């Protein structure tokens, strides 16, 4: 994950939890206190042993200072401050590498992934041992129109490149078993995509609809161009599709030349 500095206590193999929640943070200081206040009672109902892992992805605002203050109020909170901004996927992988829970959840920091929707993901994993992961998806998104368009385009590109079953949908709001989290972290790629690496690790995956909320504060840093660039990076790093397309084009040009 590149250079980083750690905060919070280090975890040993024996220091286990029932549920770990990994949240990458970038310039979201106005959201964090409200996020923790909503997340805490939900986790207390779901599991006696739980942990929250915040990964500050090189924020340029006062997010890290806010996280340090929250750590004094929430003893089950640990945090990591990355020394530079590496992107949401790398920050998520960093959090996954520290997660000790039997079930590991990833979610965003802006409260668009509503904490009260966590039980829907966890309950499926607890009642269906044949599944390794559950992906939340949003039937209606509270995004700007261009982000909704970009999300649809990216979903179709990813579904075709990764061979995802028809009807399978995904988002960064997901729950997985600890073994899957470890398998994802074990991958080494320049531009990681957590969803792509998850699906490369197991096909025992289901998707479930969850509610989507408007951003609590601030503005998203994802433009349509960034979304499309991320989709292209995902395909190039995880899928053989680009090589197959190039091979097909080469063969076609060779035949035309003959």
């Amino acid at each position: 994950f590149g250079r980083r500095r750690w905060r919070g206590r280090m975890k040993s193999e024996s220091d286990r939890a029932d549920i770990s929640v990994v949240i990458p943070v970038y310039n979201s200081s106005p959201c964090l206190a409200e996020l923790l206040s909503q997340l805490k009672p939900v986790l207390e109902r779901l599991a006696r042993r739980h942990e929250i892992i915040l990964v500050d992805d090189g924020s340029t605002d006062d997010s890290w200072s806010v996280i340090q203050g929250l750590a004094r109020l929430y003893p089950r909170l640990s945090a990591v401050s990355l020394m530079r901004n590496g992107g949401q996927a790398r920050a998520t992988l960093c959090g996954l590498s520290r997660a000790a829970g039997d079930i590991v959840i990833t979610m965003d920091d802006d409260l668009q992934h509503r904490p009260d929707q966590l039980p829907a993901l966890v309950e499926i994993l607890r009642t269906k041992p044949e599944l390794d992961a559950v992906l939340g998806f949003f039937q209606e998104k509270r995004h700007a129109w261009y982000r909704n368009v970009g999300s649809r385009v990216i979903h179709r590109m990813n579904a075709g490149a990764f061979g995802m079953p028809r009807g399978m949908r995904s988002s960064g709001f997901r729950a997985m078993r600890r073994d899957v989290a470890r398998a994802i972290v074990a991958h080494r790629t320049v531009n990681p995509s957590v969803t792509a690496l998850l699906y490369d690790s197991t096909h025992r995956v289901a998707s479930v609809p969850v509610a989507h909320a408007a951003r609590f504060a601030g503005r998203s840093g994802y433009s349509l161009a960034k979304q499309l660039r991320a989709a292209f990076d995902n395909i190039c790093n995880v899928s053989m599709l680009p090589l197959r397309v190039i091979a097909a084009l080469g063969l076609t040009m060779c035949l035309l030349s003959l």
Side-chain angles (χ1 to χ4, degrees):
F1 310 117
R3 299 178 64 195
R4 57 189 182 272
R5 62 179 184 270
W6 300 92
R7 294 292 186 271
R9 58 191 179 88
M10 298 297 291
K11 293 178 171 54
S12 65
E13 183 66 22
S14 60
D15 192 7
R16 299 279 288 275
D18 297 318
I19 294 178
S20 298
V21 179
V22 174
I23 306 174
V25 175
Y26 182 71
N27 290 352
S28 294
S29 58
C31 305
L32 297 176
E34 180 64 22
L35 172 62
L36 269 293
S37 69
Q38 293 187 25
L39 189 58
K40 181 177 181 287
V42 174
L43 289 175
E44 287 177 343
R45 290 195 299 270
L46 285 175
R48 182 178 60 83
R49 299 181 304 171
H50 61 267
E51 61 176 358
I52 303 170
I53 303 171
L54 300 183
V55 182
D56 181 23
D57 187 25
S59 296
T60 56
D61 67 355
D62 60 341
S63 290
W64 182 241
S65 297
V66 173
I67 290 172
Q68 289 177 307
L70 290 172
R72 301 185 186 97
L73 301 176
Y74 296 94
R76 296 185 182 275
L77 169 66
S78 63
V80 181
S81 177
L82 302 185
M83 297 181 69
R84 65 178 181 85
N85 175 250
Q88 185 181 46
R90 288 189 177 88
T92 302
L93 290 175
C94 179
L96 291 179
S97 70
R98 289 173 56 86
D102 295 325
I103 294 176
V104 183
I105 296 166
T106 67
M107 60 188 299
D108 288 352
D109 59 352
D110 55 10
L111 285 165
Q112 291 195 285
H113 295 173
R114 290 170 41 177
D116 64 358
Q117 300 296 295
L118 285 179
L121 303 179
V122 173
E123 185 64 22
I124 291 178
L125 282 185
R126 285 177 170 173
T127 58
K128 296 186 176 181
E130 69 274 13
L131 292 177
D132 293 325
V134 179
L135 309 178
F137 72 89
F138 311 109
Q139 294 176 317
E140 181 180 357
K141 290 187 175 182
R142 306 286 294 276
H143 282 319
W145 67 268
Y146 64 86
R147 284 203 64 189
N148 290 332
V149 171
S151 296
R152 294 190 190 100
V153 172
I154 290 171
H155 169 70
R156 292 181 180 178
M157 292 172 65
N158 288 345
F162 308 140
M164 296 173 68
R166 184 180 296 274
M168 179 69 68
R169 300 175 63 183
S170 66
S171 72
F173 198 19
R174 53 179 89 85
M176 67 193 80
R177 302 194 191 280
R178 184 175 60 252
D179 289 344
V180 177
R182 289 178 175 174
I184 291 172
V185 172
H187 283 82
R188 292 293 179 265
T189 180
V190 176
N191 296 304
S193 163
V194 178
T195 298
L197 294 176
L198 184 152
Y199 202 72
D200 194 50
S201 302
T202 178
H203 282 192
R204 302 194 303 178
V205 182
S207 57
V208 60
V210 292
H212 192 250
R215 186 179 177 91
F216 181 76
R219 297 179 59 185
S220 171
Y222 277 99
S223 64
L224 179 58
K226 287 183 178 179
Q227 286 180 290
L228 294 175
R229 191 181 309 122
F232 181 75
D233 287 341
N234 294 347
I235 292 173
C236 289
N237 278 278
V238 180
S239 172
M240 293 293 291
L241 181 62
L243 290 177
R244 291 170 180 165
V245 170
I246 292 172
L249 288 174
L251 180 59
T252 301
M253 293 302 295
C254 180
L255 293 174
L256 289 174
S257 298
L258 289 174

